[in-house]
Amino acid sequence: VRAVVSLQNSFFLFIFAPVRLSINEIKSVIMDANGIIGREYEQKLILERCKSNKAELIAIYGRRRVGKTFLVRKMFNDQFAFSFIGMYEVSRAVQLEQFRMALAQYAKQTVPKLKTWFEAFAALREYLSGLSLQEPIVLFFDELPWMDTPKSNFIAAFSYFWNSWASMVPQLKLIVCGSSTTWMLAKFIGDKGGLYGRVTRQIYLAPFSLGETELFLNELKGLALTRQQVLDVYMILGGIPYYLDMLERGVPLDVCIDRLFFSQDSPLRGEFDFLFRSLFNDSKHYRKIVEVLSEKMKGMTRKELMDELKLKGGGQLSEILENLKKCDFIRKYATIGKSERDALYQLTDLYSLFYTRFVANNSGQDKNFWSNMRNSGSRTAWSGYAFEQVCLHHIPQIKKALGISGVLANVYSWSCRPFVDSTGAEWRGGQIDMLIDRADGAINICEMKYAKDEFVIDAAYEQRLRDRMSSFSVATKTKKALLHTFITTYGVKQNMHSGLVNSEVRMNDLFEKANIR
């Protein structure tokens, strides 16, 4: 394989001579791929489409830095009949010139100057028509949303290329990626025009789980971290491979975090701004909502957000919340016993949570800030909340540990102010951050506790738990069995107050592989 690398506008364009792989070769590339952690299900889907007897348009989406490009390139060993990468915030003319240069390299001949995307796709069609059609022809378009510059007619040209020719070539397998999830879902996968229903398979690429993060850090990078250390890193960086890859071997974790966020020219200090600018138009509105939610750990209703932001109309807010949810920054979850309008929005992106709590307003004067925060109250409070979010990211692992993977269940929260029941009795109310409401007649009331050792339940805490369970039972009028479940790092210490614990999930359980989809 011959590679030519050109550098322009601070972006690398990797260009490879056309290589067409047989089905067995494609399967071999996937099975022998070195360095792909997890992603078995996604690889299986892509392989199946490459083996089909019809043209395939595969759209892969997910938040920025999650590893979409890495997955596709590793699977196919960078061997494509044609590949092109869109560039961030450059003009249509620059995009087209880079496209022309790439096509000239693949075709090994001069390509005339391209003035429109219609001309670009016509030239691509001419090149592809000259290839042998005996084996799959795999094309890869990366950062597709960046190609769709204002008034460029990119989508119209792409859809014409697909509908008028490419979709009728059974050997053609076109894979597209994009970090702007909102663009991918609204303008490409959900297009109401020429591309309506044309995507043959959409694939969402999620961040790494804890187990995959452990494999990435210890097996691929050779860091030899304990599970406690992997958990601590995950609570800061989430399961984003790009961020995790920045950790240094042989350097204490707190020092690594200082270098990534708090030292001079730290690489992840400016990532937050770029992340939002590259994903959303009017990014300041998206950032503001994330910042507001970071201050409300239990989450906020839509009305509470409108009041906080002093908004009169809710149309724009609804769109922003939906886009943030699609991009994995927030989650929307129901409160048991309440209506849809009482649903809560909660910040779940671990990197954003860490950034807004500790980095956004940090002056940058203390390059050892995180190391010096080791025993602070604010770090302890953040650890507890971040661990709760980690648990919410690993519901399948929690269900597996409880032995209820095959049981239909919904995850809710619950909160209630003090109230008086129909008999005149007074109840304290309370808040439960995670309930697993099961179809087999039980509800797991989950307590999520981060600790450096076994978690200790004392007399006062035991009484609070019992009072809260009673309030929940009366307020919701549930007939189901109520089970106290503790999700902790090292388990609950056995003492005279731990008898109310019906089941436990420990940190090691969260590292388990979820059930195969």
Side-chain angles (χ1 to χ4, degrees):
V1 179
R2 178 172 58 88
V4 178
V5 180
S6 66
L7 175 63
Q8 180 169 336
N9 298 305
S10 301
F11 286 89
F12 287 95
L13 175 63
F14 294 91
I15 304 167
F16 295 87
V19 178
R20 289 165 298 286
L21 304 177
S22 68
I23 289 300
N24 288 334
E25 288 172 329
I26 290 174
K27 185 174 182 179
S28 175
V29 167
I30 293 174
M31 299 305 292
D32 296 337
N34 181 29
I36 297 181
I37 299 296
R39 315 305 196 195
E40 295 95 342
Y41 180 65
E42 291 79 6
Q43 293 182 70
K44 174 177 173 290
L45 291 178
I46 294 172
L47 174 61
E48 287 176 349
R49 294 296 167 171
C50 287
K51 292 169 61 178
S52 76
N53 58 3
K54 63 184 182 68
E56 300 285 352
L57 179 54
I58 305 166
I60 304 174
Y61 66 97
R63 64 158 287 166
R64 186 163 178 77
R65 314 293 201 190
V66 81
K68 302 179 295 297
T69 302
F70 180 86
L71 172 65
V72 176
R73 286 188 160 175
K74 275 288 185 179
M75 280 184 65
F76 294 98
N77 198 27
D78 271 313
Q79 299 180 54
F80 304 106
F82 180 75
S83 175
F84 181 70
I85 308 171
M87 290 174 288
Y88 179 61
E89 289 190 342
V90 301
S91 67
R92 177 184 63 178
V94 173
Q95 301 270 14
L96 287 171
E97 176 58 18
Q98 293 300 311
F99 190 94
R100 185 196 67 79
M101 292 169 59
L103 190 56
Q105 290 289 341
Y106 278 100
K108 298 181 181 179
Q109 63 183 32
T110 301
V111 176
K113 183 176 181 179
L114 305 170
K115 297 179 180 179
T116 69
W117 279 111
F118 285 96
E119 292 181 0
F121 282 109
L124 177 62
R125 172 180 173 174
E126 181 179 353
Y127 155 64
L128 295 174
S129 297
L131 301 179
S132 170
L133 299 181
Q134 299 304 310
E135 295 292 346
I137 299 174
V138 181
L139 314 180
F140 180 40
F141 285 6
D142 197 10
E143 293 299 359
L144 198 73
W146 290 352
M147 303 179 204
D148 186 29
T149 54
K151 300 180 180 180
S152 65
N153 287 321
F154 173 79
I155 287 293
F158 185 100
S159 61
Y160 183 77
F161 165 76
W162 182 259
N163 294 328
S164 65
W165 181 76
S167 63
M168 293 175 280
V169 181
Q171 295 80 8
L172 195 66
K173 318 297 176 182
L174 176 50
I175 303 171
V176 303
C177 283
S179 298
S180 178
T181 302
T182 54
W183 187 96
M184 291 291 291
L185 291 174
K187 291 193 174 183
F188 192 80
I189 297 172
D191 181 56
K192 298 298 189 292
L195 285 177
Y196 179 76
R198 299 299 192 268
V199 174
T200 58
R201 181 72 207 199
Q202 55 178 293
I203 298 173
Y204 168 69
L205 200 65
F208 281 162
S209 65
L210 271 171
E212 291 167 339
T213 298
E214 181 182 43
L215 284 173
F216 180 84
L217 294 177
N218 289 348
E219 300 300 324
L220 196 61
K221 289 183 63 66
L223 298 187
L225 302 179
T226 67
R227 285 192 161 175
Q228 176 77 66
Q229 291 174 315
V230 173
L231 173 62
D232 290 345
V233 165
Y234 196 90
M235 292 195 304
I236 297 172
L237 302 177
I240 307 302
Y242 180 84
Y243 303 158
L244 296 168
D245 194 42
M246 293 183 177
L247 296 174
E248 301 173 63
R249 187 174 182 178
V251 177
L253 287 180
D254 282 356
V255 175
C256 280
I257 299 306
D258 280 326
R259 291 178 180 179
L260 291 177
F261 288 97
F262 302 106
S263 63
Q264 188 175 8
D265 299 324
S266 50
L268 291 183
R269 192 177 186 89
E271 170 72 9
F272 190 76
D273 291 332
F274 178 70
L275 184 61
F276 279 82
R277 283 190 288 108
S278 64
L279 289 177
F280 310 112
N281 294 325
D282 299 324
S283 60
K284 63 180 181 180
H285 298 303
Y286 289 83
R287 281 193 52 176
K288 180 62 177 176
I289 290 176
V290 166
E291 289 164 357
V292 167
L293 288 176
S294 72
E295 299 297 324
K296 304 289 185 179
M297 293 188 292
K298 73 172 184 177
M300 300 175 71
T301 65
R302 186 172 176 278
K303 185 180 184 307
E304 288 172 337
L305 278 168
M306 288 185 65
D307 292 342
E308 179 72 22
L309 299 169
K310 297 179 173 56
L311 296 176
K312 295 181 179 179
Q316 184 184 21
L317 177 62
S318 296
E319 180 182 357
I320 293 174
L321 291 173
E322 185 62 23
N323 288 341
L324 285 171
K325 185 160 69 75
K326 289 176 178 177
C327 292
D328 280 333
F329 284 96
I330 67 174
R331 72 178 182 120
K332 177 184 178 182
Y333 65 102
T335 302
I336 194 168
K338 294 187 178 181
S339 64
E340 173 71 15
R341 68 181 180 181
D342 294 315
L344 293 174
Y345 294 90
Q346 186 180 53
L347 178 62
T348 57
D349 181 65
L350 293 161
Y351 165 81
S352 297
L353 174 63
F354 182 80
Y355 180 90
T356 53
R357 286 292 183 88
F358 298 108
V359 184
N361 298 316
N362 185 282
S363 64
Q365 298 300 310
D366 183 3
K367 66 179 183 179
N368 300 314
F369 175 82
W370 191 242
S371 298
N372 294 333
M373 289 277 288
R374 187 172 291 114
N375 298 314
S376 69
S378 58
R379 179 165 172 173
T380 300
W382 162 82
S383 296
Y385 180 64
F387 180 69
E388 290 180 6
Q389 298 309 310
V390 172
C391 293
L392 291 166
H393 287 309
H394 291 77
I395 298 297
Q397 286 82 359
I398 291 172
K399 290 182 64 179
K400 181 179 179 180
L402 293 173
I404 58 171
S405 293
V407 177
L408 178 64
N410 291 311
V411 177
Y412 297 105
S413 70
W414 175 78
S415 62
C416 181
R417 297 179 183 276
F419 65 97
V420 178
D421 67 17
S422 58
T423 68
E426 296 182 356
W427 300 91
R428 297 178 61 180
Q431 178 180 328
I432 302 172
D433 292 321
M434 185 165 76
L435 294 162
I436 303 177
D437 187 6
R438 296 154 46 176
D440 61 355
I443 297 177
N444 293 89
I445 297 178
C446 299
E447 283 288 294
M448 299 168 280
K449 297 297 180 182
Y450 176 87
K452 295 293 186 180
D453 205 337
E454 290 181 310
F455 182 77
V456 179
I457 300 176
D458 59 20
Y461 187 48
E462 179 190 6
Q463 190 58 50
R464 286 201 303 272
L465 292 174
R466 294 190 184 280
D467 290 344
R468 190 185 61 177
M469 176 181 279
S470 298
S471 293
F472 173 78
S473 179
V474 172
T476 61
K477 297 180 175 60
T478 182
K479 298 293 191 299
K480 293 187 175 183
L482 302 180
L483 309 173
H484 270 124
T485 298
F486 270 71
I487 308 171
T488 62
T489 41
Y490 296 105
V492 176
K493 186 175 181 60
Q494 297 299 305
N495 61 22
M496 63 186 297
H497 304 293
S498 62
L500 85 168
V501 179
N502 300 107
S503 56
E504 291 188 55
V505 177
R506 302 188 181 192
M507 174 177 62
N508 285 341
D509 296 316
L510 301 179
F511 281 81
E512 289 294 315
K513 185 176 181 180
N515 293 332
I516 298 175
R517 287 164 283 184

